[in-house]
Amino acid sequence: MGVAAALGVKDHCGWAMLVAVAGEPGSPRVLLRERVSLLHDPTLPDQPFHAAAGLALDSARDLISRVEQCARTSAHDVLAAAVHRLNGAGHDVAGVALDLGAVGAGRMTLPDDLATVLSKHHYLHGAEGELYHEALMEAARDAGLAVSRYDFKELRDVAARLLGVGAVERVDGLRAQVGTPWTRDHKDAALAALLLLVDGRAA
């Protein structure tokens, strides 16, 4: 039986910060941290809804579909590689912690109609984020990993309540363990992973 670890992912359009942690809230350890591509094909736009906004609807739908497929493949490859590395180092991966995003957190409801989505700027941003969230969720579940989703806008408050304020400060201070860079993306991904290890909440 290996040592339990969890992956935290802070995703953006076309890329993500991935951090793996193990240990308890009082002594978290960073096992892996890397910036990964969620869109391996450089000919595709990382914001397909924005790129599709000026196209005919059929062309827009085709472009978005191609980016969705590439994102799913890329997310699968990224998570599979991370799990393989962690397993090889003697760790059992408990799951993947992801951001809820604006759509999943209930701050936005996307219309079912693509034409409407393409006509409103705030819908474009929501749809871009959800595309990558969905790709990561699908990839994690295909790999047999539990998925926990947290609202990263409230992540530090949630972590302070469930793990204690000291745990948040210790994650912030992990820069001393791993060196730079240790940005807000790294901290959020690590904190979400630590929450998954302790809280174990699956989406």
Side-chain angles (χ1 to χ4, degrees):
M1 189 76 171
V3 177
L7 289 163
V9 183
K10 174 57 178 172
D11 59 287
H12 298 272
C13 288
W15 65 279
M17 198 63 70
L18 189 152
V19 179
V21 301
E24 301 294 329
S27 56
R29 292 180 293 118
V30 176
L31 306 174
L32 178 144
R33 60 166 175 167
E34 59 182 335
R35 175 176 167 142
V36 296
S37 172
L38 297 178
L39 199 66
H40 291 346
D41 186 344
T43 67
L44 292 174
D46 56 13
Q47 293 185 298
F49 287 88
H50 283 76
L55 301 177
L57 199 56
D58 285 347
S59 297
R61 190 173 285 110
D62 176 68
L63 175 62
I64 293 165
S65 177
R66 285 188 287 124
V67 174
E68 286 174 338
Q69 181 58 50
C70 184
R72 285 194 293 267
T73 301
S74 300
H76 179 276
D77 291 347
V78 161
L79 291 185
V83 170
H84 180 74
R85 287 170 61 185
L86 291 167
N87 289 163
H91 297 282
D92 292 328
V93 181
V96 179
L98 303 173
D99 188 2
L100 270 173
V103 175
R107 290 186 291 271
M108 181 186 300
T109 300
L110 289 174
D112 293 329
D113 176 44
L114 179 59
T116 304
V117 172
L118 296 177
S119 70
K120 303 291 184 182
H121 195 253
H122 65 287
Y123 287 154
L124 297 178
H125 284 286
E128 309 286 13
E130 195 62 9
L131 185 155
Y132 293 103
H133 293 329
E134 290 294 327
L136 286 162
M137 286 184 64
E138 181 179 309
R141 287 172 173 159
D142 285 349
L145 300 172
V147 176
S148 291
R149 298 187 75 182
Y150 300 96
D151 185 350
F152 276 35
K153 289 186 180 297
E154 300 177 0
L155 183 65
R156 296 172 74 84
D157 291 338
V158 171
R161 185 173 71 251
L162 295 177
L163 307 179
V165 175
V168 178
E169 294 173 348
R170 278 186 284 275
V171 167
D172 286 347
L174 285 172
R175 174 179 176 179
Q177 179 191 126
V178 299
T180 57
W182 191 245
T183 66
R184 181 59 181 266
D185 279 354
H186 293 97
K187 295 172 186 177
D188 283 351
L191 198 54
L194 190 60
L195 269 169
L196 187 155
L197 279 177
V198 175
D199 185 30
R201 181 175 61 192

